[in-house]
Amino acid sequence: MGQEPTSVRVERSRDTAALGQRVSTSLDTNGVRGKLTPEAPLAPLVWFKSGGVAEWLFEPKDLADLQAFLRGLDPAVPVMALGLGSNMIVRDGGVPGVVVRLGKAFAQVRRLDDVTLECGGGASGILVSSTARDAGIAGVEFLRSIPGTVGGFVRMNGGAYGGEVKDILVDCDVVLRSGELATLANHNLHYTYRHSELPEGAIVVAARFQGRPGEPAAIQAEMDRISASREASQPLRSKTGGSTFKNPPGEKAWELVDRAGCRGLSLGGAQVSEKHTNFLINTGTATSAEIEALGEEVRRRVKDNSGVELEWEIQRVGTK
């Protein structure tokens, strides 16, 4: 691939410098205590292991630190939250603005009552489901199968194996782009399939999930069943991004992809999984551009074959 034109590189350099000045001013003013990294590589932080850099990567020390940072940051600077990076293509041109990654301070899970858990926005699905099991709370086992964090689950109405976040969410705490802390009830998010109306730039820092009473042994058995099913059907040991396309009404995306003859289809270092055709994989050398282009080629072939227009489930962020 050739280099960008000089004029584009110069313009991007100016934009980055201006952003850097605005972020630096915020730091001087607010005494932010978290870790702020310029030009931070994002490929190591996402499952596809591809893509460009974040102009700035911010890892807040705690809730107050995150609020102070966002309050002082120029409103024109875009902000994006990053969880485990499992359902995301970071484009090769990188992500402008600030990428916020929640660390250990946001990864706690505790029982509130007999059927309710309070979960930090950075807590993994495995931690949430395991804590629920230990507390005798059933109904959240499906989170065991979703490779992400609570923040991503809430934003995308994460679901699998018959369960969705809309079925268990009571409410969530979010830090708005302004730095204000707000609590949003389930109905405020207007959930649909793999979609919510979470405010633009909002970062989920906590959520309350409500299940039902259950026996820990039975809960573990269901978690084991889900785990075994995933192991048998999905390319878990590959560089992948999870389910690529949403299931159309009355259809399964993988079946449409298979019928269109896309099983094993490759483009550069990107490939449609032989094991599960709704998964794209990086065989080791793929760029994000190749992964995304392969996905678009699959969409084209499915449309030609069945008339169905697949919608991306994987989030694609950044500049090409």
Side-chain angles (χ1 to χ4, degrees):
M1 264 178 126
Q3 286 190 322
E4 294 173 313
T6 301
S7 60
V8 174
R9 295 201 304 273
V10 169
E11 189 62 38
R12 180 171 292 173
S13 177
R14 287 173 181 161
D15 291 345
T16 302
L19 171 61
Q21 181 60 47
R22 292 197 291 265
V23 173
S24 296
T25 300
S26 299
L27 287 174
D28 294 341
T29 302
N30 295 293
V32 171
R33 295 168 286 119
K35 182 180 179 183
L36 187 69
T37 307
E39 298 296 311
L42 293 177
L45 305 181
V46 299
W47 279 37
F48 272 123
K49 302 303 178 191
S50 67
V53 303
E55 286 190 273
W56 293 91
L57 177 66
F58 180 53
E59 299 167 276
K61 187 174 181 61
D62 51 31
L63 176 58
D65 191 35
L66 175 60
Q67 290 184 266
F69 179 82
L70 292 178
R71 273 198 301 268
L73 190 62
D74 187 319
V77 177
V79 173
M80 184 195 88
L82 174 66
L84 294 184
S86 58
N87 193 237
M88 177 178 291
I89 295 173
V90 173
R91 289 170 170 149
D92 300 311
V95 179
V98 179
V99 173
V100 176
R101 191 167 186 244
L102 303 182
K104 290 182 180 179
F106 299 88
Q108 308 302 311
V109 180
R110 67 187 184 95
R111 187 176 77 170
L112 284 182
D113 58 38
D114 288 348
V115 292
T116 310
L117 295 173
E118 181 168 64
C119 311
S124 69
I126 291 176
L127 178 59
V128 173
S129 57
S130 297
T131 304
R133 173 203 60 208
D134 295 345
I137 299 174
V140 299
E141 295 91 341
F142 70 94
L143 292 180
R144 168 68 179 80
S145 68
I146 309 177
T149 58
V150 167
F153 302 158
V154 170
R155 176 178 294 277
M156 295 297 294
N157 187 23
Y161 295 93
E164 291 183 296
V165 164
K166 72 176 180 60
D167 302 325
I168 61 172
L169 181 74
V170 177
D171 56 23
C172 62
D173 297 334
V174 302
V175 176
L176 302 175
R177 179 61 184 80
S178 63
E180 176 188 357
L181 182 65
T183 299
L184 304 177
N186 186 316
H187 64 82
N188 295 139
L189 298 177
H190 303 288
Y191 276 130
T192 54
Y193 177 60
R194 302 295 177 266
H195 177 76
S196 75
E197 293 183 8
L198 198 70
E200 185 73 24
I203 296 172
V204 178
V205 293
R208 266 69 57 185
F209 293 146
Q210 187 174 84
R212 60 182 185 275
E215 291 296 325
I219 295 169
Q220 182 62 57
E222 175 63 6
M223 289 168 60
D224 290 344
R225 183 192 70 81
I226 289 172
S227 182
S229 177
R230 286 187 72 228
E231 181 72 35
S233 65
Q234 299 177 12
L236 300 181
R237 285 161 181 75
S238 301
K239 298 172 185 175
T240 184
S243 295
T244 306
F245 304 110
K246 298 178 182 179
N247 287 323
E251 301 271 10
K252 292 183 178 179
W254 77 265
E255 290 180 342
L256 293 169
V257 173
D258 210 17
R259 289 207 300 268
C262 296
R263 184 180 294 269
L265 181 68
S266 63
L267 191 162
Q271 184 181 44
V272 176
S273 171
E274 297 268 8
K275 191 171 186 179
H276 192 310
T277 54
N278 198 26
F279 282 65
L280 301 181
I281 60 175
N282 176 357
T283 61
T285 60
T287 63
S288 290
E290 289 173 341
I291 296 168
E292 187 170 0
L294 178 60
E296 290 296 344
E297 175 62 14
V298 169
R299 293 181 72 234
R300 185 190 70 76
R301 293 192 183 197
V302 168
K303 181 68 180 295
D304 289 347
N305 179 261
S306 64
V308 176
E309 190 157 339
L310 290 176
E311 291 184 36
W312 284 90
E313 181 171 328
I314 285 179
Q315 189 179 8
R316 293 153 296 144
V317 301
T319 56
K320 293 183 179 180

